[in-house]
Structures are given as structure tokens and as C-alpha cells.
Amino acid sequence: MDLFDEFIKEASTGRVDCGMYFNILFNSKIEDNYIGSDSDLLVPTLIVKDKISFLTLLNKYLDIATIFYSNKKIDVTNERKMLLATLFSNMTSNDFNNPDIYIKRRINFMLDNTLKKELSFYSKHLESDVIVKIDKNYPYDETPYSFNIILKRNEFVYNMPSIRFGIDNGVCYIYAIQNKRQEKNDYIKKINRKLYVINSGVQEEEYEENVTDVTMSFVLSLSVMFGVLNRENINNFVVVPLLIERWNAKKIMFDIKEQFNLFKGNHSTLKEDLEKQEDIQKNLTEKFIRTFRRIEYHFSNINIVSYPFEIDDNMYIVNNNNYSSNNELLDEMYRGDSFEKNGHNL
């Protein structure tokens, strides 16, 4: 049995063994051969119409990914199988219907050279240097790269939220925005207070949907990113709000905990904990989408073209270059008044 056949057989059970387990669950229809799961979860089906061409593309991905992640090793016994598991963990339901397009996109994510230099400018509003850098992620992360922003004043540093993204043929795909853990000090507290200027006047404005319940630092990070990418003539965005494999993985873990009696308290806590996790995920997804609505609110040039499930799983956004902003801080972040390429290769 070759690697891929072994992988899809294990994926139909929800547990892929790479020396460490990945909770990956999907059905497969490889040409005329179907492998199904007996799970009661919402399980996607991988559709492969031409196995030979698909495996050729898949092996190309694995060869490139092996080199790309060579300095981001994970301690597993089967690295290529692990790379398969992490590749499939970042698929949407639509990606399972079009796996060739998805794999080509992920290859392009790794090979893209659009942002390879550090950028910096000075923010008068935050009284800090703003440094933009692109960092490589680990294979298990949503994307190969992260868009990171560092605020710096003398020896003090504030790591702004990290944006997991990839660029494919001039389109930017955004998968997640995540806070970075850091110890709070007086500088960070002062910056947090300054960020509340982003809320100035918003609650008094009439808007068709609530955009006040967002994280200010997320809005700031996205403002910088949209401005940086506009300078690179990248003005089309795809926002990926929900990865079905990652959500199913949480449910599989709940089942395993129940099977081995790993829940604290009595058996009834399983349903309660699962419902709580579902509520958390729902709120996170809604807040993720709402953050982009907030960006649209502040910038006349950034428009949401469609919401998730209007076209497919994703949200589509365009920057039409008809620029204006109703917030001075975000305007400064978007424009990056004196961007300088520092010449630091990643």
C-alpha cells in the first residue's frame, strides 16, 4: 500500500498515524473507488477524477514542502505523511471538491516572493516605530507565512496580532488573526489605551450590522496589511473563516476523551463541554468576519463582495483604490507614511 492509499484509509477513521496522531476525517472518491466513514459528523468527500495526475501534483507539493519546512521540523516518524495530514487539515469543504486547484494554491503560497523585505515607518499617533515582517510558520499552521507587525519604542516592544496568509497569483488568502502571548508592561498598556481611538465615534454611527464588538489590535494589523499589499498591487482578498477538518478534529477529540473517561466529573459533562466548544467556535468565526466588516466601515476603498456561503465557503473582498478613511490612526497605518525597505531577506 502506497503512502496516499494508506493515508486516505486512515483518514476515513478520523485518526492518521504519523508517529503522532492527527484527527483528520474525510471520505474519498478516487476515480470510481469510494472509501467512506461511518461518522455522524459532517464529513467532506475528496473528489479525485484522475488519480495519476493528482498524485503527480501531490508528490510535487510534498517535495517542495519538505524543503520549505526543513528548518521547522516536527518530531514525527513519517514526515511526508505528516505533511499530507497538515495539508488536508487546512482544506475547506469546497477544496475537497477541487483538490488539484487547492494543492496548486498551497504550492504557490510557499513559493510566493511578494513580501520578502522588512518594512518600517514611524507612527506619530502611537509614538512608535512600526516594523512589518513576514515569518515562516510550522507545517501544522494554517498557512506557510505570517504577516507580523512589531511596535517599538527604544527597548520596548509590542507584538501585534499575527495574520496567517498566503498569496496565489496576485490574490491574498487570509486564514486567521491570532494574538501573541507577551507580558504586559507600561508600554503595552499605553499602546492599548491609544488603540481605543479606533472606536471613536463608531458607536454613534448608523451601520447595518454591529461592528463594535471587535479587537482593536486586529483592526490595526489588518489596516497595515491592506496598505502594504496595495503597494504591491494586491487588491483581491479571500477570507477563509472555517476549516472543517480543524472543527471536526475538536469533536473527534471529545469522542476520544469520552471513550477513555478523560472528562472530569460525570458523563453528562461531555455534551455540555461540546456545546460550549461549539459556542466558542461560532463566536470566534463571527468575530473574525465582523473584523473585516469593521475594516470596510473605516475604509471607503475596501468592499466586501460576498459573504461565506453566498458563492462558496469563503468571504471575498476587493480594494478598489478609491481611498479614504474615517479614522486618523488607521489612515496612518494604511498609508505607512514613510515605508522603507530595509533589505532584510527572510
Side-chain angles (χ1 to χ4, degrees):
M1 182 181 296
D2 66 22
L3 176 63
F4 179 68
D5 289 337
E6 177 184 327
F7 174 74
I8 60 174
K9 183 177 180 180
E10 292 183 11
S12 70
T13 71
R15 297 278 279 172
V16 174
D17 183 7
C18 311
M20 63 182 291
Y21 282 97
F22 287 82
N23 297 333
I24 306 293
L25 177 65
F26 59 88
N27 306 319
S28 301
K29 189 177 185 298
I30 313 299
E31 295 179 339
D32 295 325
N33 298 316
Y34 180 80
I35 299 177
S37 164
D38 59 3
S39 173
D40 59 358
L41 297 175
L42 183 62
V43 182
T45 298
L46 177 70
I47 305 296
V48 175
K49 297 178 181 178
D50 185 335
K51 184 176 181 180
I52 292 177
S53 64
F54 175 77
L55 290 180
T56 299
L57 181 60
L58 192 61
N59 281 315
K60 179 181 179 181
Y61 170 85
L62 292 174
D63 290 341
I64 293 172
T66 299
I67 297 171
F68 182 85
Y69 291 113
S70 59
N71 62 342
K72 295 285 185 179
K73 292 285 188 180
I74 300 176
D75 187 16
V76 293
T77 56
N78 191 327
E79 183 180 17
R80 288 176 78 84
K81 194 174 179 184
M82 177 274 295
L83 290 171
L84 276 178
T86 55
L87 172 68
F88 279 79
S89 71
N90 292 313
M91 295 177 78
T92 67
S93 296
N94 190 62
D95 291 331
F96 277 96
N97 295 328
N98 303 280
D100 293 64
I101 295 173
Y102 170 74
I103 294 171
K104 290 175 183 176
R105 182 186 310 137
R106 300 299 292 198
I107 290 173
N108 289 339
F109 281 1
M110 291 186 287
L111 299 181
D112 181 76
N113 290 312
T114 302
L115 302 174
K116 288 297 182 181
K117 306 287 186 181
E118 279 191 6
L119 305 172
S120 66
F121 65 96
Y122 182 75
S123 167
K124 295 178 181 177
H125 287 85
L126 300 179
E127 301 177 286
S128 300
D129 291 314
V130 181
I131 301 167
V132 178
K133 57 183 298 190
I134 308 302
D135 292 320
K136 184 184 291 188
N137 294 329
Y138 282 91
Y140 50 71
D141 291 322
E142 294 90 341
T143 57
Y145 290 112
S146 287
F147 185 98
N148 293 314
I149 301 164
I150 301 168
L151 304 182
K152 188 174 181 180
R153 185 193 303 162
N154 300 323
E155 72 274 19
F156 298 107
V157 171
Y158 188 166
N159 291 299
M160 299 299 290
S162 180
I163 303 174
R164 302 278 172 83
F165 81 107
I167 295 175
D168 172 31
N169 291 317
V171 178
C172 177
Y173 291 74
I174 300 176
Y175 281 69
I177 311 172
Q178 297 179 346
N179 273 318
K180 291 190 172 184
R181 293 182 180 179
Q182 52 195 329
E183 292 185 9
K184 287 189 176 180
N185 53 42
D186 289 342
Y187 173 63
I188 290 178
K189 291 177 182 178
K190 185 174 182 179
I191 292 295
N192 284 336
R193 289 194 297 270
K194 286 178 175 291
L195 292 183
Y196 276 97
V197 72
I198 297 173
N199 258 341
S200 178
V202 173
Q203 295 181 2
E204 288 75 26
E205 295 283 352
E206 292 185 1
Y207 200 64
E208 60 187 270
E209 183 178 321
N210 174 36
V211 292
T212 58
D213 183 18
V214 296
T215 302
M216 297 301 101
S217 56
F218 283 25
V219 175
L220 185 138
S221 290
L222 280 174
S223 299
V224 176
M225 184 184 207
F226 275 99
V228 169
L229 290 177
N230 176 255
R231 287 168 178 76
E232 300 292 339
N233 294 315
I234 294 177
N235 293 308
N236 290 290
F237 299 82
V238 179
V239 178
V240 184
L242 182 63
L243 298 173
I244 189 168
E245 287 301 312
R246 289 177 178 263
W247 174 229
N248 281 345
K250 293 182 175 71
K251 292 188 176 182
I252 293 170
M253 183 54 64
F254 271 88
D255 289 341
I256 293 171
K257 287 183 176 182
E258 181 188 31
Q259 180 182 350
F260 292 98
N261 296 316
L262 298 179
F263 279 95
K264 297 179 181 179
N266 57 45
H267 179 78
S268 64
T269 61
L270 171 64
K271 183 178 179 180
E272 294 173 3
D273 287 354
L274 184 55
E275 289 177 350
K276 181 179 179 181
Q277 184 63 46
E278 288 177 342
D279 286 341
I280 291 172
Q281 182 61 55
K282 179 175 179 290
N283 290 335
L284 287 173
T285 301
E286 290 177 351
K287 191 169 185 178
F288 184 56
I289 294 170
R290 190 160 55 245
T291 303
F292 290 92
R293 287 191 60 82
R294 181 63 177 266
I295 288 290
E296 182 186 48
Y297 170 84
H298 285 299
F299 294 96
S300 63
N301 53 308
I302 297 175
N303 303 119
I304 296 173
V305 177
S306 70
Y307 288 93
F309 305 111
E310 290 184 347
I311 296 177
D312 53 27
D313 309 66
N314 305 318
M315 172 188 281
Y316 291 84
I317 297 175
V318 64
N319 184 344
N320 62 31
N321 285 318
N322 184 24
Y323 178 77
S324 68
S325 175
N326 58 18
N327 184 278
E328 290 185 0
L329 172 57
L330 297 182
D331 173 61
E332 181 187 50
M333 292 297 108
Y334 183 95
R335 289 187 294 103
D337 290 333
S338 57
F339 271 126
E340 295 178 358
K341 294 189 175 183
N342 295 333
H344 174 68
N345 290 312
L346 298 175

